[in-house]
Amino acid sequence: MDHLGYGEGAISIGFDEIVADDWEDQVVKPDILGKWPSLSKQPGYVDPPA
């Protein structure tokens, strides 16, 4: 909230369990690589998209 300058009412966080075998297709490709420029912190376990 401090980083974005928004109040508590404007932020939500959700958690979904993902089977390890599905991690790349369900998370890495769409939510990490597909949104790389907008991530506040890029993960160290995947290379940035080319």
Side-chain angles (χ1 to χ4, degrees):
M1 294 181 316
D2 292 338
H3 177 75
L4 297 172
Y6 295 134
E8 187 175 316
I11 306 281
S12 62
I13 299 172
F15 294 94
D16 293 318
E17 288 191 43
I18 305 293
V19 177
D21 290 342
D22 295 336
W23 179 254
E24 185 171 346
D25 287 334
Q26 290 188 18
V27 177
V28 174
K29 290 177 183 176
D31 294 331
I32 296 175
L33 297 177
K35 299 176 183 178
W36 194 265
S38 66
L39 296 178
S40 295
K41 181 187 179 302
Q42 290 84 11
Y45 59 85
V46 63
D47 291 330

PDB file of all heavy atoms in Angstrom, residues 10-36:
ATOM      1  N   ALA A  10      -8.242  -0.464  -1.437  1.00  0.00           N
ATOM      2  CA  ALA A  10      -7.977  -0.586  -2.873  1.00  0.00           C
ATOM      3  C   ALA A  10      -7.086  -1.778  -3.221  1.00  0.00           C
ATOM      4  O   ALA A  10      -6.805  -2.006  -4.391  1.00  0.00           O
ATOM      5  CB  ALA A  10      -7.316   0.690  -3.387  1.00  0.00           C
ATOM      6  N   ILE A  11      -6.642  -2.529  -2.236  1.00  0.00           N
ATOM      7  CA  ILE A  11      -5.711  -3.628  -2.454  1.00  0.00           C
ATOM      8  C   ILE A  11      -6.358  -4.943  -2.045  1.00  0.00           C
ATOM      9  O   ILE A  11      -6.987  -5.036  -1.000  1.00  0.00           O
ATOM     10  CB  ILE A  11      -4.416  -3.451  -1.620  1.00  0.00           C
ATOM     11  CG1 ILE A  11      -3.774  -2.104  -1.872  1.00  0.00           C
ATOM     12  CG2 ILE A  11      -3.449  -4.595  -1.845  1.00  0.00           C
ATOM     13  CD1 ILE A  11      -2.991  -1.974  -3.128  1.00  0.00           C
ATOM     14  N   SER A  12      -6.193  -5.968  -2.882  1.00  0.00           N
ATOM     15  CA  SER A  12      -6.610  -7.311  -2.491  1.00  0.00           C
ATOM     16  C   SER A  12      -5.546  -8.303  -2.938  1.00  0.00           C
ATOM     17  O   SER A  12      -4.830  -8.064  -3.908  1.00  0.00           O
ATOM     18  CB  SER A  12      -7.971  -7.675  -3.107  1.00  0.00           C
ATOM     19  OG  SER A  12      -7.884  -7.673  -4.508  1.00  0.00           O
ATOM     20  N   ILE A  13      -5.436  -9.374  -2.208  1.00  0.00           N
ATOM     21  CA  ILE A  13      -4.455 -10.414  -2.504  1.00  0.00           C
ATOM     22  C   ILE A  13      -5.176 -11.754  -2.444  1.00  0.00           C
ATOM     23  O   ILE A  13      -5.951 -12.006  -1.521  1.00  0.00           O
ATOM     24  CB  ILE A  13      -3.300 -10.409  -1.472  1.00  0.00           C
ATOM     25  CG1 ILE A  13      -2.573  -9.073  -1.517  1.00  0.00           C
ATOM     26  CG2 ILE A  13      -2.342 -11.567  -1.721  1.00  0.00           C
ATOM     27  CD1 ILE A  13      -1.557  -8.873  -0.424  1.00  0.00           C
ATOM     28  N   GLY A  14      -4.936 -12.579  -3.436  1.00  0.00           N
ATOM     29  CA  GLY A  14      -5.541 -13.905  -3.459  1.00  0.00           C
ATOM     30  C   GLY A  14      -4.483 -14.982  -3.609  1.00  0.00           C
ATOM     31  O   GLY A  14      -3.415 -14.733  -4.157  1.00  0.00           O
ATOM     32  N   PHE A  15      -4.773 -16.155  -3.117  1.00  0.00           N
ATOM     33  CA  PHE A  15      -3.861 -17.294  -3.210  1.00  0.00           C
ATOM     34  C   PHE A  15      -4.598 -18.465  -3.835  1.00  0.00           C
ATOM     35  O   PHE A  15      -5.711 -18.792  -3.432  1.00  0.00           O
ATOM     36  CB  PHE A  15      -3.358 -17.709  -1.814  1.00  0.00           C
ATOM     37  CG  PHE A  15      -2.497 -16.678  -1.157  1.00  0.00           C
ATOM     38  CD1 PHE A  15      -3.051 -15.749  -0.294  1.00  0.00           C
ATOM     39  CD2 PHE A  15      -1.139 -16.632  -1.403  1.00  0.00           C
ATOM     40  CE1 PHE A  15      -2.267 -14.788   0.319  1.00  0.00           C
ATOM     41  CE2 PHE A  15      -0.341 -15.678  -0.794  1.00  0.00           C
ATOM     42  CZ  PHE A  15      -0.909 -14.749   0.068  1.00  0.00           C
ATOM     43  N   ASP A  16      -3.995 -19.066  -4.833  1.00  0.00           N
ATOM     44  CA  ASP A  16      -4.528 -20.263  -5.471  1.00  0.00           C
ATOM     45  C   ASP A  16      -3.461 -21.341  -5.424  1.00  0.00           C
ATOM     46  O   ASP A  16      -2.308 -21.080  -5.749  1.00  0.00           O
ATOM     47  CB  ASP A  16      -4.877 -20.017  -6.947  1.00  0.00           C
ATOM     48  CG  ASP A  16      -6.041 -19.059  -7.122  1.00  0.00           C
ATOM     49  OD1 ASP A  16      -7.017 -19.172  -6.368  1.00  0.00           O
ATOM     50  OD2 ASP A  16      -5.969 -18.209  -8.021  1.00  0.00           O
ATOM     51  N   GLU A  17      -3.848 -22.538  -5.011  1.00  0.00           N
ATOM     52  CA  GLU A  17      -2.902 -23.656  -5.027  1.00  0.00           C
ATOM     53  C   GLU A  17      -2.758 -24.153  -6.461  1.00  0.00           C
ATOM     54  O   GLU A  17      -3.744 -24.339  -7.165  1.00  0.00           O
ATOM     55  CB  GLU A  17      -3.395 -24.783  -4.128  1.00  0.00           C
ATOM     56  CG  GLU A  17      -3.291 -24.437  -2.655  1.00  0.00           C
ATOM     57  CD  GLU A  17      -3.532 -25.636  -1.760  1.00  0.00           C
ATOM     58  OE1 GLU A  17      -3.005 -26.720  -2.063  1.00  0.00           O
ATOM     59  OE2 GLU A  17      -4.258 -25.453  -0.773  1.00  0.00           O
ATOM     60  N   ILE A  18      -1.522 -24.334  -6.892  1.00  0.00           N
ATOM     61  CA  ILE A  18      -1.223 -24.807  -8.242  1.00  0.00           C
ATOM     62  C   ILE A  18      -0.373 -26.067  -8.118  1.00  0.00           C
ATOM     63  O   ILE A  18       0.631 -26.074  -7.404  1.00  0.00           O
ATOM     64  CB  ILE A  18      -0.435 -23.747  -9.052  1.00  0.00           C
ATOM     65  CG1 ILE A  18      -1.164 -22.409  -9.083  1.00  0.00           C
ATOM     66  CG2 ILE A  18      -0.121 -24.245 -10.450  1.00  0.00           C
ATOM     67  CD1 ILE A  18      -2.452 -22.389  -9.842  1.00  0.00           C
ATOM     68  N   VAL A  19      -0.760 -27.099  -8.828  1.00  0.00           N
ATOM     69  CA  VAL A  19       0.034 -28.335  -8.866  1.00  0.00           C
ATOM     70  C   VAL A  19       1.379 -28.005  -9.506  1.00  0.00           C
ATOM     71  O   VAL A  19       1.436 -27.277 -10.505  1.00  0.00           O
ATOM     72  CB  VAL A  19      -0.714 -29.416  -9.682  1.00  0.00           C
ATOM     73  CG1 VAL A  19       0.112 -30.675  -9.797  1.00  0.00           C
ATOM     74  CG2 VAL A  19      -2.062 -29.710  -9.056  1.00  0.00           C
ATOM     75  N   ALA A  20       2.453 -28.512  -8.950  1.00  0.00           N
ATOM     76  CA  ALA A  20       3.801 -28.186  -9.427  1.00  0.00           C
ATOM     77  C   ALA A  20       3.954 -28.404 -10.930  1.00  0.00           C
ATOM     78  O   ALA A  20       4.591 -27.593 -11.612  1.00  0.00           O
ATOM     79  CB  ALA A  20       4.836 -29.001  -8.656  1.00  0.00           C
ATOM     80  N   ASP A  21       3.378 -29.468 -11.463  1.00  0.00           N
ATOM     81  CA  ASP A  21       3.494 -29.755 -12.896  1.00  0.00           C
ATOM     82  C   ASP A  21       2.787 -28.707 -13.770  1.00  0.00           C
ATOM     83  O   ASP A  21       3.078 -28.595 -14.957  1.00  0.00           O
ATOM     84  CB  ASP A  21       2.926 -31.137 -13.223  1.00  0.00           C
ATOM     85  CG  ASP A  21       3.789 -32.270 -12.690  1.00  0.00           C
ATOM     86  OD1 ASP A  21       4.982 -32.024 -12.381  1.00  0.00           O
ATOM     87  OD2 ASP A  21       3.269 -33.390 -12.577  1.00  0.00           O
ATOM     88  N   ASP A  22       1.863 -27.951 -13.177  1.00  0.00           N
ATOM     89  CA  ASP A  22       1.115 -26.946 -13.925  1.00  0.00           C
ATOM     90  C   ASP A  22       1.651 -25.528 -13.735  1.00  0.00           C
ATOM     91  O   ASP A  22       1.144 -24.583 -14.330  1.00  0.00           O
ATOM     92  CB  ASP A  22      -0.358 -26.964 -13.502  1.00  0.00           C
ATOM     93  CG  ASP A  22      -1.046 -28.267 -13.869  1.00  0.00           C
ATOM     94  OD1 ASP A  22      -0.586 -28.947 -14.801  1.00  0.00           O
ATOM     95  OD2 ASP A  22      -2.046 -28.607 -13.202  1.00  0.00           O
ATOM     96  N   TRP A  23       2.670 -25.361 -12.899  1.00  0.00           N
ATOM     97  CA  TRP A  23       3.188 -24.046 -12.523  1.00  0.00           C
ATOM     98  C   TRP A  23       3.587 -23.201 -13.736  1.00  0.00           C
ATOM     99  O   TRP A  23       3.207 -22.045 -13.855  1.00  0.00           O
ATOM    100  CB  TRP A  23       4.366 -24.207 -11.570  1.00  0.00           C
ATOM    101  CG  TRP A  23       4.980 -22.912 -11.137  1.00  0.00           C
ATOM    102  CD1 TRP A  23       6.161 -22.383 -11.540  1.00  0.00           C
ATOM    103  CD2 TRP A  23       4.426 -21.976 -10.203  1.00  0.00           C
ATOM    104  NE1 TRP A  23       6.391 -21.177 -10.928  1.00  0.00           N
ATOM    105  CE2 TRP A  23       5.334 -20.901 -10.094  1.00  0.00           C
ATOM    106  CE3 TRP A  23       3.261 -21.941  -9.451  1.00  0.00           C
ATOM    107  CZ2 TRP A  23       5.111 -19.805  -9.272  1.00  0.00           C
ATOM    108  CZ3 TRP A  23       3.048 -20.850  -8.631  1.00  0.00           C
ATOM    109  CH2 TRP A  23       3.962 -19.815  -8.544  1.00  0.00           C
ATOM    110  N   GLU A  24       4.338 -23.768 -14.659  1.00  0.00           N
ATOM    111  CA  GLU A  24       4.812 -22.984 -15.806  1.00  0.00           C
ATOM    112  C   GLU A  24       3.648 -22.510 -16.677  1.00  0.00           C
ATOM    113  O   GLU A  24       3.568 -21.331 -17.034  1.00  0.00           O
ATOM    114  CB  GLU A  24       5.808 -23.771 -16.652  1.00  0.00           C
ATOM    115  CG  GLU A  24       6.396 -22.915 -17.758  1.00  0.00           C
ATOM    116  CD  GLU A  24       7.535 -23.573 -18.492  1.00  0.00           C
ATOM    117  OE1 GLU A  24       8.089 -24.584 -18.019  1.00  0.00           O
ATOM    118  OE2 GLU A  24       7.873 -23.059 -19.560  1.00  0.00           O
ATOM    119  N   ASP A  25       2.729 -23.408 -17.013  1.00  0.00           N
ATOM    120  CA  ASP A  25       1.622 -23.047 -17.895  1.00  0.00           C
ATOM    121  C   ASP A  25       0.585 -22.144 -17.225  1.00  0.00           C
ATOM    122  O   ASP A  25       0.017 -21.269 -17.868  1.00  0.00           O
ATOM    123  CB  ASP A  25       0.921 -24.301 -18.425  1.00  0.00           C
ATOM    124  CG  ASP A  25       1.752 -25.027 -19.473  1.00  0.00           C
ATOM    125  OD1 ASP A  25       2.581 -24.367 -20.151  1.00  0.00           O
ATOM    126  OD2 ASP A  25       1.578 -26.249 -19.621  1.00  0.00           O
ATOM    127  N   GLN A  26       0.332 -22.343 -15.939  1.00  0.00           N
ATOM    128  CA  GLN A  26      -0.726 -21.590 -15.263  1.00  0.00           C
ATOM    129  C   GLN A  26      -0.245 -20.314 -14.586  1.00  0.00           C
ATOM    130  O   GLN A  26      -1.050 -19.422 -14.317  1.00  0.00           O
ATOM    131  CB  GLN A  26      -1.433 -22.477 -14.235  1.00  0.00           C
ATOM    132  CG  GLN A  26      -2.270 -23.561 -14.864  1.00  0.00           C
ATOM    133  CD  GLN A  26      -3.120 -24.299 -13.832  1.00  0.00           C
ATOM    134  OE1 GLN A  26      -3.357 -23.824 -12.721  1.00  0.00           O
ATOM    135  NE2 GLN A  26      -3.580 -25.474 -14.204  1.00  0.00           N
ATOM    136  N   VAL A  27       1.061 -20.239 -14.294  1.00  0.00           N
ATOM    137  CA  VAL A  27       1.558 -19.059 -13.574  1.00  0.00           C
ATOM    138  C   VAL A  27       2.686 -18.359 -14.323  1.00  0.00           C
ATOM    139  O   VAL A  27       2.591 -17.169 -14.621  1.00  0.00           O
ATOM    140  CB  VAL A  27       2.034 -19.451 -12.151  1.00  0.00           C
ATOM    141  CG1 VAL A  27       2.607 -18.238 -11.429  1.00  0.00           C
ATOM    142  CG2 VAL A  27       0.896 -20.063 -11.354  1.00  0.00           C
ATOM    143  N   VAL A  28       3.755 -19.075 -14.626  1.00  0.00           N
ATOM    144  CA  VAL A  28       4.936 -18.428 -15.212  1.00  0.00           C
ATOM    145  C   VAL A  28       4.603 -17.742 -16.532  1.00  0.00           C
ATOM    146  O   VAL A  28       4.887 -16.551 -16.708  1.00  0.00           O
ATOM    147  CB  VAL A  28       6.096 -19.426 -15.391  1.00  0.00           C
ATOM    148  CG1 VAL A  28       7.256 -18.786 -16.139  1.00  0.00           C
ATOM    149  CG2 VAL A  28       6.571 -19.940 -14.036  1.00  0.00           C
ATOM    150  N   LYS A  29       4.020 -18.452 -17.454  1.00  0.00           N
ATOM    151  CA  LYS A  29       3.753 -17.869 -18.779  1.00  0.00           C
ATOM    152  C   LYS A  29       2.750 -16.716 -18.725  1.00  0.00           C
ATOM    153  O   LYS A  29       3.046 -15.620 -19.207  1.00  0.00           O
ATOM    154  CB  LYS A  29       3.306 -18.951 -19.763  1.00  0.00           C
ATOM    155  CG  LYS A  29       4.432 -19.896 -20.137  1.00  0.00           C
ATOM    156  CD  LYS A  29       3.956 -21.000 -21.061  1.00  0.00           C
ATOM    157  CE  LYS A  29       5.076 -21.973 -21.364  1.00  0.00           C
ATOM    158  NZ  LYS A  29       4.618 -23.108 -22.175  1.00  0.00           N
ATOM    159  N   PRO A  30       1.560 -16.905 -18.144  1.00  0.00           N
ATOM    160  CA  PRO A  30       0.593 -15.799 -18.191  1.00  0.00           C
ATOM    161  C   PRO A  30       0.843 -14.679 -17.181  1.00  0.00           C
ATOM    162  O   PRO A  30       0.682 -13.503 -17.502  1.00  0.00           O
ATOM    163  CB  PRO A  30      -0.746 -16.477 -17.917  1.00  0.00           C
ATOM    164  CG  PRO A  30      -0.406 -17.684 -17.110  1.00  0.00           C
ATOM    165  CD  PRO A  30       0.942 -18.130 -17.626  1.00  0.00           C
ATOM    166  N   ASP A  31       1.218 -15.032 -15.953  1.00  0.00           N
ATOM    167  CA  ASP A  31       1.263 -14.039 -14.880  1.00  0.00           C
ATOM    168  C   ASP A  31       2.640 -13.463 -14.594  1.00  0.00           C
ATOM    169  O   ASP A  31       2.744 -12.435 -13.925  1.00  0.00           O
ATOM    170  CB  ASP A  31       0.705 -14.633 -13.585  1.00  0.00           C
ATOM    171  CG  ASP A  31      -0.777 -14.945 -13.690  1.00  0.00           C
ATOM    172  OD1 ASP A  31      -1.476 -14.249 -14.456  1.00  0.00           O
ATOM    173  OD2 ASP A  31      -1.241 -15.872 -13.022  1.00  0.00           O
ATOM    174  N   ILE A  32       3.690 -14.108 -15.066  1.00  0.00           N
ATOM    175  CA  ILE A  32       5.037 -13.582 -14.837  1.00  0.00           C
ATOM    176  C   ILE A  32       5.622 -13.080 -16.151  1.00  0.00           C
ATOM    177  O   ILE A  32       5.852 -11.885 -16.316  1.00  0.00           O
ATOM    178  CB  ILE A  32       5.937 -14.632 -14.157  1.00  0.00           C
ATOM    179  CG1 ILE A  32       5.379 -14.951 -12.761  1.00  0.00           C
ATOM    180  CG2 ILE A  32       7.378 -14.132 -14.076  1.00  0.00           C
ATOM    181  CD1 ILE A  32       6.084 -16.060 -12.025  1.00  0.00           C
ATOM    182  N   LEU A  33       5.827 -13.965 -17.098  1.00  0.00           N
ATOM    183  CA  LEU A  33       6.390 -13.535 -18.376  1.00  0.00           C
ATOM    184  C   LEU A  33       5.440 -12.614 -19.131  1.00  0.00           C
ATOM    185  O   LEU A  33       5.867 -11.626 -19.727  1.00  0.00           O
ATOM    186  CB  LEU A  33       6.753 -14.756 -19.231  1.00  0.00           C
ATOM    187  CG  LEU A  33       7.828 -15.670 -18.646  1.00  0.00           C
ATOM    188  CD1 LEU A  33       8.052 -16.873 -19.554  1.00  0.00           C
ATOM    189  CD2 LEU A  33       9.122 -14.911 -18.410  1.00  0.00           C
ATOM    190  N   GLY A  34       4.156 -12.909 -19.070  1.00  0.00           N
ATOM    191  CA  GLY A  34       3.173 -12.105 -19.776  1.00  0.00           C
ATOM    192  C   GLY A  34       2.952 -10.719 -19.196  1.00  0.00           C
ATOM    193  O   GLY A  34       2.396  -9.849 -19.852  1.00  0.00           O
ATOM    194  N   LYS A  35       3.388 -10.508 -17.963  1.00  0.00           N
ATOM    195  CA  LYS A  35       3.202  -9.212 -17.300  1.00  0.00           C
ATOM    196  C   LYS A  35       4.527  -8.648 -16.798  1.00  0.00           C
ATOM    197  O   LYS A  35       4.560  -7.801 -15.908  1.00  0.00           O
ATOM    198  CB  LYS A  35       2.223  -9.368 -16.138  1.00  0.00           C
ATOM    199  CG  LYS A  35       0.853  -9.834 -16.583  1.00  0.00           C
ATOM    200  CD  LYS A  35      -0.054 -10.076 -15.409  1.00  0.00           C
ATOM    201  CE  LYS A  35      -1.395 -10.620 -15.901  1.00  0.00           C
ATOM    202  NZ  LYS A  35      -2.285 -10.915 -14.803  1.00  0.00           N
ATOM    203  N   TRP A  36       5.622  -9.111 -17.366  1.00  0.00           N
ATOM    204  CA  TRP A  36       6.967  -8.758 -16.902  1.00  0.00           C
ATOM    205  C   TRP A  36       7.174  -7.261 -16.700  1.00  0.00           C
ATOM    206  O   TRP A  36       7.674  -6.836 -15.652  1.00  0.00           O
ATOM    207  CB  TRP A  36       8.003  -9.329 -17.869  1.00  0.00           C
ATOM    208  CG  TRP A  36       9.386  -9.299 -17.316  1.00  0.00           C
ATOM    209  CD1 TRP A  36      10.315  -8.327 -17.521  1.00  0.00           C
ATOM    210  CD2 TRP A  36      10.004 -10.267 -16.476  1.00  0.00           C
ATOM    211  NE1 TRP A  36      11.476  -8.634 -16.867  1.00  0.00           N
ATOM    212  CE2 TRP A  36      11.302  -9.827 -16.210  1.00  0.00           C
ATOM    213  CE3 TRP A  36       9.567 -11.476 -15.918  1.00  0.00           C
ATOM    214  CZ2 TRP A  36      12.181 -10.546 -15.415  1.00  0.00           C
ATOM    215  CZ3 TRP A  36      10.454 -12.179 -15.130  1.00  0.00           C
ATOM    216  CH2 TRP A  36      11.739 -11.716 -14.887  1.00  0.00           C
TER     217      TRP A  36
END
